[in-house]
Amino acid sequence: MPATVVKFPATDLRMSAENVLRGNDNGGYTVPSRATYPHQWNWDSALAALGWAELDPSRAWRELETLAGARDRQGMIPHIAFHTRVPDRLNGRLRGALTTVARTYARYLPGPRWWGRRLAYDGRRISGITQPPVAATCMRILFEGHPDEARARALLTPLLGWHRFLLEERDPRGTGEPVLIHPWESGRDNAVEWDAPLWRVLPEVTVVHRRDTHSVDAAERPSDEHYRRFLTLVRRGTRVDWAQSRLARGGAFRVLDPGFSAILARACADLGWLAEELGEGRIAEESRAASARVADALRARADSDGLIRAVDMTDETTLEVTSAGSALALLAPGLGSEHMEAVRDLVTTGVLASPYGVRSLDREHPERSARNYWRGPVWSNVTWLCALALEDHGDRVAAAKMRFRMMEAIEGGGMREYFVPDSGRGLG
């Protein structure tokens, strides 16, 4: 039976969003969920900054500064920066209420010990992989609404360093796109296109003591078979001390993700715009050139239907799956009208379209699952990014349609991680 959808007034919705942000505020960064994701996640944090911009612009800048503080010695901003205790700023009553949640910090799998002795610029323990680099795009949006030249200028170099890392250490063959070495880097952990390359990874981890299924229905999370391989890749990376170029050249899992690459192309363009505004001509020039390089690489491998799909770099084969990655590819600046039209049709009326936003997977794919993480549900971040891309390419009507559908999901399904694409029921 379809879930009953109850819509909330706009004022209640805004209050609910504010309550989520404040309830997950760790002082300098926002956790995605205290029960399931109790640390600082990379692209979650960058997007949360846009929420803080509506409430407290200074706190929004702090979110991005804390994220940049998690960078490693190579400039990579990791997918997780770990926190091991409940923040001191919480009052006694709230600290007491979070006593059991505090234990989750230490028990999150894989915790900091899995990644080796990896330390961030600011001293925190960090993971050895990254996530979609939306931070520069979020900073540009924040700057346009709440400019702070000093704080923006201080973030230019860390974000430039991250982009350089992706286009140098992670592109050992000079393809123009970064190689992802773990499915988690895509932000779409168990997306169907990763199955083929991931299933070639022989699991070294056979027993998985998961905590995520204590707070979320297992039917809505990646399977144990996925986790055995996810954790095996972490173990192998730690074994070679996260030699990034080596893993990008010959690791067990190596893919090109059009969504990740396009986010990088857009981020480089946005960083270039910011640098120009701040009089940093060298950074502006380098960032514009980097954006064009990634966009050119994406455009060169578009399929006959105008869409761009993932590539398995172990054998250089295209992964024939139409997913959110192909929709997100539109974020790359300078793609032609043929590609724009293909993505617009894909997300508005095609196999990724739904009344509640952009599906994570082709609705006709045999492996689709309406409830399972990145194998079918709608995610608000993807829908929002697709709307941003459509607007950038001049289609404001389609962009408005995407935002309307996203709000339909949130108004009916609540402040949830993802949604059933045909009913709008909140999940995660």
Side-chain angles (χ1 to χ4, degrees):
M1 291 290 291
T4 300
V5 175
V6 179
K7 292 191 177 182
F8 296 93
T11 52
D12 291 348
L13 199 62
R14 183 180 176 87
M15 184 176 296
S16 180
E18 179 175 352
N19 288 341
V20 169
L21 277 178
R22 296 198 186 281
N24 289 335
D25 182 11
N26 261 23
Y29 64 88
T30 311
V31 301
S33 162
R34 293 203 180 276
T36 311
Y37 310 105
H39 305 285
Q40 185 175 23
W41 258 259
N42 188 323
W43 72 326
D44 300 72
S45 191
L47 291 166
L50 300 182
W52 283 112
E54 297 291 315
L55 304 172
D56 181 350
S58 179
R59 176 63 183 78
W61 283 106
R62 178 62 177 149
E63 187 86 26
L64 295 178
E65 290 162 350
T66 307
L67 179 60
R71 65 192 184 276
D72 70 6
R73 65 181 183 276
Q74 290 182 294
M76 184 190 79
I77 299 181
H79 97 295
I80 303 174
F82 292 100
H83 194 98
T84 56
R85 59 186 175 85
V86 175
D88 291 333
R89 68 173 190 83
L90 298 176
N91 62 41
R93 182 178 178 183
L94 186 53
R95 284 180 62 82
L98 291 175
T99 298
T100 56
V101 176
R103 299 191 186 102
T104 308
Y105 285 99
R107 295 195 310 233
Y108 175 79
L109 182 72
R113 291 183 181 179
W114 279 79
W115 303 92
R117 290 292 303 176
R118 293 187 51 75
L119 294 177
Y121 177 84
D122 62 11
R124 283 181 290 171
R125 299 284 291 275
I126 56 175
S127 64
I129 58 176
T130 190
Q131 262 193 332
V134 296
T137 295
C138 293
M139 182 168 76
R140 173 176 177 171
I141 294 170
L142 174 60
F143 185 87
E144 288 177 318
H146 307 281
D148 188 321
E149 292 194 6
R151 299 179 88 167
R153 192 183 304 278
L155 285 167
L156 290 178
T157 298
L159 294 181
L160 177 67
W162 185 18
H163 298 168
R164 279 179 179 168
F165 163 83
L166 291 170
L167 290 171
E168 294 174 4
E169 294 297 316
R170 287 299 191 83
D171 186 15
R173 294 171 54 184
T175 64
E177 295 181 62
V179 174
L180 307 192
I181 62 173
H182 196 293
W184 287 339
E185 292 199 305
S186 69
R188 300 179 294 111
D189 305 9
N190 69 334
V192 168
E193 57 263 46
W194 310 144
D195 283 0
L198 187 63
W199 253 239
R200 285 200 299 266
V201 177
L202 184 65
E204 298 175 9
V205 178
T206 55
V207 179
V208 181
H209 299 290
R210 297 174 63 176
R211 304 286 179 180
D212 58 320
T213 51
H214 292 188
S215 55
V216 179
D217 190 326
E220 299 172 15
R221 297 288 299 167
S223 68
D224 281 355
E225 283 303 313
H226 282 90
Y227 258 87
R228 290 184 183 99
R229 289 166 173 83
F230 292 161
L231 296 175
T232 294
L233 289 172
V234 173
R235 180 173 287 179
R236 291 184 183 182
T238 301
R239 193 178 295 151
V240 298
D241 196 26
W242 295 101
Q244 298 286 342
S245 183
R246 172 179 170 182
L247 290 167
R249 187 182 295 277
F253 180 93
R254 288 172 287 134
V255 301
L256 300 182
D257 174 21
F260 188 106
S261 295
I263 287 171
L264 174 59
R266 168 68 194 251
C268 289
D270 287 333
L271 194 69
W273 180 91
L274 278 160
E276 192 71 47
E277 287 290 305
L278 296 169
E280 298 289 345
R282 181 188 60 79
I283 295 177
E285 183 178 358
E286 179 179 341
S287 294
R288 286 194 295 263
S291 177
R293 173 187 168 192
V294 180
D296 287 347
L298 282 168
R299 189 165 46 245
R301 63 182 189 85
D303 291 336
S304 58
D305 60 2
L307 299 179
I308 303 168
R309 293 176 173 84
V311 173
D312 184 349
M313 291 300 285
T314 60
D315 57 11
E316 298 188 32
T317 58
T318 298
L319 296 165
E320 299 291 347
V321 177
T322 301
S323 74
S326 295
L328 291 170
L330 190 62
L331 281 161
L335 296 184
S337 59
E338 179 184 354
H339 180 72
M340 192 279 287
E341 291 167 6
V343 172
R344 180 195 61 205
D345 294 345
L346 179 69
V347 300
T348 57
T349 61
V351 296
L352 295 188
S354 94
Y356 301 98
V358 179
R359 297 172 187 263
S360 50
L361 177 64
D362 179 345
R363 64 183 172 216
E364 298 173 2
H365 196 284
E367 293 293 321
R368 72 193 182 283
S369 171
R371 293 178 58 202
N372 189 258
Y373 218 45
W374 288 98
R375 302 173 81 86
V378 163
W379 289 69
S380 294
N381 55 345
V382 169
T383 304
W384 181 81
L385 286 166
C386 286
L388 185 67
L390 287 164
E391 190 166 61
D392 283 347
H393 285 273
D395 196 333
R396 294 188 176 183
V397 173
K401 184 178 294 185
M402 289 296 98
R403 294 189 177 106
F404 175 81
R405 292 177 179 179
M406 178 185 73
M407 293 306 298
E408 286 284 284
I410 297 167
E411 288 173 8
M415 297 291 162
R416 301 299 291 273
E417 196 176 7
Y418 38 103
F419 304 87
V420 174
D422 294 315
S423 71
R425 174 186 170 189
L427 302 168

